[in-house]
Amino acid sequence: MIFKLEEEHIAVKEAAREFALSRLKEGVIERDTSMSYPTEFVKEMGEMGFLSMMTDSAYGGSGMDTLSYVLAMEEISKIDASCSVIMSVNNSLVLWGLEEYGSEEQKQKYIPRLTTGNEIGCFCLSEPEAGSDATSQRTTAIDMGDHYLLNGVKNWITNGGKATIQLVVAHTDKEKGHKGINVFIVERDWEGVTIGPKEDKMGIRSSDTHSISYSDVKVPKENRIGADGFGFKFAMKTLEGGRIGIAAQALGIAAGAYELAVSYANQREAFGISIGNHQAIAFKLADMALDIEAARMIVYRAAYLKDSGLDYGYASAMAKLIASEAAMKHTVEAVQIHGGNGYVKEYHVERLMRDAKITQIYEGTSEIQRIIISRNVLTGKLELPY
C-alpha cells in the first residue's frame, strides 16, 4: 500500500476542505440548533461532484475512486457531519447499489437524477423490529402479477424526508428467510408512500431522518433490483461499502475535534504557560494523534482494498469500528481539554461529541462490527491480501 497520496487525491482533499471551511462552517451551529436541512449546500455538493463520487461518468457521476470519496468525507465531516451523512447515503447506499446491481434500464432512468443535488436518494432497511437483524423484515412486497404490493414501515431513514428515490428492502416470501428478501426502487410521490415526522436527534441534527410507511404501494415489476431473492445480498454488500463512508465520517469528526483541541491548547494559558505544555493535556493530545492516525491508515486501507477489487468486507468493519470508537473517545477528550468552554456551542467540540455517537450505531453497531471481525478471525479469513 502506498502512503503518499496522488496529485488527484490531494486536489480532491483540498477542494473538500476549502468547501467545508468557506461554505459549511459559517452557520453550522445554527443549523444544528434549529435542525435546518442544508438544502443550499446539498445542491452545491452535487454541483461539485461530491454526491456521486464513485459513479461512472456515463451516468453523470464523477467517476472517482473510493479513496477520493473517503478523503472528501473526512474533510467535510470535520466541519459538518450532517452534510457528510447526506453525502454518504447518496454515494454509498443508493448510487453504488444501483450502479453495481441495477439493470441498465434502471441505471439510465434513476442514476442521473441523483448526481446533481436536485434530487437525492435514501436506503430503507431498518424497521422498528429489525435493525441489526436484517432478516427480521416485516415490510412485505406481495407479487400481484405485473406489480408488487408494498406494505410496511421503515424508520431511522437518513434523507427520508427529502429523498425522491428510495431503495426499499422487503420480504416477498417469509418462508424462504433471507432468500425471500428483495429490494425495490420506490418513488416518494407514489400513492401510499407516507413520510413521518422528522426525528429530533442528539447529533447530526440538520440531516433529514424520518420514518416512512407504505400502504398498498404498487411497485412495477421492473423496479425490483436483481433476481428474485437477491435483496439480502444486495443489502449486505451495499452496507460493506457504506461502512467505509461512515468510517471516513467518524475519522473526520475525530480529526476535527483534534484540530480544535490542538489550537485551543496552544492558545489557552494556565499557571503562566499554554495548557498544551502541561503534561496532562500534552499526553491527551498525543493519544488523540496516535489513535486518529491509526484509524486513518485502516480506513484508507479499506478504500484501497475496494479500489483494488479485493475482499474488503472485514476491512470495512475494522475501519468503521476503530474510527467510530476513536471519534467517541476523543471528542469527549476535546471537550475536556476545552474545559468549561467545551460545554458551550460556540467552540464546536460539544457538537462533534454529539455527532460522534451515531457513528457507533448506524450502518451496523460496534457490536455487529465485532461479530463480523471475529467470524473472519475464527474462519481464518483475516489474512492480509497483499
Side-chain angles (χ1 to χ4, degrees):
M1 184 176 177
I2 299 172
F3 293 94
K4 182 180 179 181
L5 296 176
E6 301 291 342
E7 288 186 8
E8 57 266 33
H9 291 135
I10 295 171
V12 169
K13 181 180 177 69
E14 290 179 348
R17 184 169 182 82
E18 173 61 23
F19 170 71
L21 289 172
S22 65
R23 299 292 293 137
L24 298 182
K25 188 172 183 179
E26 183 179 358
V28 66
I29 294 172
E30 290 74 17
R31 291 194 300 275
D32 172 79
T33 301
S34 62
M35 297 195 304
S36 301
Y37 185 78
T39 303
E40 175 186 0
F41 303 119
V42 172
K43 183 70 168 69
E44 288 185 34
M45 286 195 294
E47 293 170 351
M48 296 181 71
F50 290 149
L51 294 182
S52 56
M53 295 192 70
M54 298 173 290
T55 303
D56 196 308
S57 58
Y59 303 109
S62 300
M64 299 183 189
D65 59 12
T66 310
L67 182 56
S68 296
Y69 166 58
V70 162
L71 293 167
M73 279 289 298
E74 181 182 350
E75 292 302 327
I76 290 172
S77 300
K78 288 179 182 180
I79 304 299
D80 190 344
S82 292
C83 279
S84 70
V85 75
I86 294 167
M87 172 180 161
S88 175
V89 169
N90 205 64
N91 272 286
S92 298
L93 300 186
V94 181
L95 284 174
W96 185 86
L98 276 172
E99 185 175 4
E100 186 74 11
Y101 298 114
S103 67
E104 187 59 33
E105 181 182 359
Q106 290 168 345
K107 295 176 188 179
Q108 295 286 353
K109 182 176 181 180
Y110 288 109
I111 291 179
R113 292 171 56 180
L114 296 170
T115 61
T116 65
N118 291 320
E119 294 187 69
I120 203 158
C122 66
F123 183 70
C124 303
L125 175 64
S126 294
E127 297 183 2
E129 302 298 328
S132 297
D133 183 6
T135 60
S136 297
Q137 298 288 308
R138 293 189 178 183
T139 298
T140 60
I142 306 303
D143 191 340
M144 303 300 289
D146 64 340
H147 67 275
Y148 289 90
L149 208 57
L150 182 67
N151 285 278
V153 177
K154 299 293 183 178
N155 67 344
W156 313 122
I157 306 303
T158 302
N159 298 346
K162 300 294 183 182
T164 56
I165 298 168
Q166 308 164 356
L167 302 189
V168 183
V169 182
H171 253 124
T172 52
D173 188 342
K174 290 189 176 181
E175 293 185 0
K176 292 183 179 179
H178 75 278
K179 294 183 179 179
I181 293 175
N182 280 289
V183 177
F184 302 91
I185 305 170
V186 176
E187 299 193 32
R188 182 184 62 189
D189 295 335
W190 287 353
E191 185 176 354
V193 178
T194 303
I195 310 299
K198 187 173 185 176
E199 301 290 352
D200 188 353
K201 302 168 295 187
M202 177 172 73
I204 57 168
R205 287 172 53 82
S206 67
S207 69
D208 200 38
T209 307
H210 295 254
S211 60
I212 305 176
S213 62
Y214 304 94
S215 179
D216 289 338
V217 179
K218 291 183 178 180
V219 182
K221 273 290 182 66
E222 60 266 25
N223 276 40
R224 187 188 74 201
I225 298 178
D228 187 27
F230 182 69
F232 182 76
K233 183 177 180 181
F234 176 97
M236 295 303 101
K237 294 301 291 184
T238 300
L239 285 173
E240 283 183 358
R243 286 171 184 140
I244 297 176
I246 297 305
Q249 180 190 45
L251 173 62
I253 291 170
Y258 166 72
E259 290 176 6
L260 290 169
V262 170
S263 177
Y264 188 82
N266 279 321
Q267 295 173 18
R268 178 73 171 182
E269 291 191 356
F271 306 104
I273 59 173
S274 66
I275 62 172
N277 284 312
H278 291 286
Q279 191 179 81
I281 302 300
F283 279 15
K284 286 182 185 293
L285 294 172
D287 287 343
M288 292 172 80
L290 176 65
D291 289 350
I292 290 167
E293 189 62 19
R296 179 174 286 117
M297 291 298 99
I298 292 178
V299 175
Y300 287 11
R301 177 174 172 271
Y304 160 79
L305 292 174
K306 186 171 184 288
D307 287 334
S308 300
L310 298 170
D311 180 24
Y312 61 90
Y314 74 87
S316 70
M318 283 184 160
K320 183 179 181 299
L321 179 60
I322 192 171
S324 62
E325 297 292 304
M328 193 69 252
K329 177 182 178 181
H330 293 303
T331 52
V332 171
E333 289 286 50
V335 171
Q336 189 71 20
I337 289 169
H338 280 73
N341 287 330
Y343 208 66
V344 296
K345 291 179 181 294
E346 67 179 284
Y347 286 83
H348 296 281
V349 287
E350 65 84 30
R351 185 187 75 258
L352 291 169
M353 183 179 73
R354 287 186 285 107
D355 289 346
K357 184 58 194 174
I358 192 60
T359 66
Q360 295 178 306
I361 298 172
Y362 59 13
E363 293 192 37
T365 63
S366 292
E367 291 74 20
I368 290 294
Q369 307 315 313
R370 287 185 169 92
I371 289 174
I372 294 169
I373 295 165
S374 64
R375 284 175 178 170
N376 279 273
V377 169
L378 293 169
T379 56
K381 294 179 181 179
L382 208 56
E383 295 180 6
L384 303 181
Y386 296 140

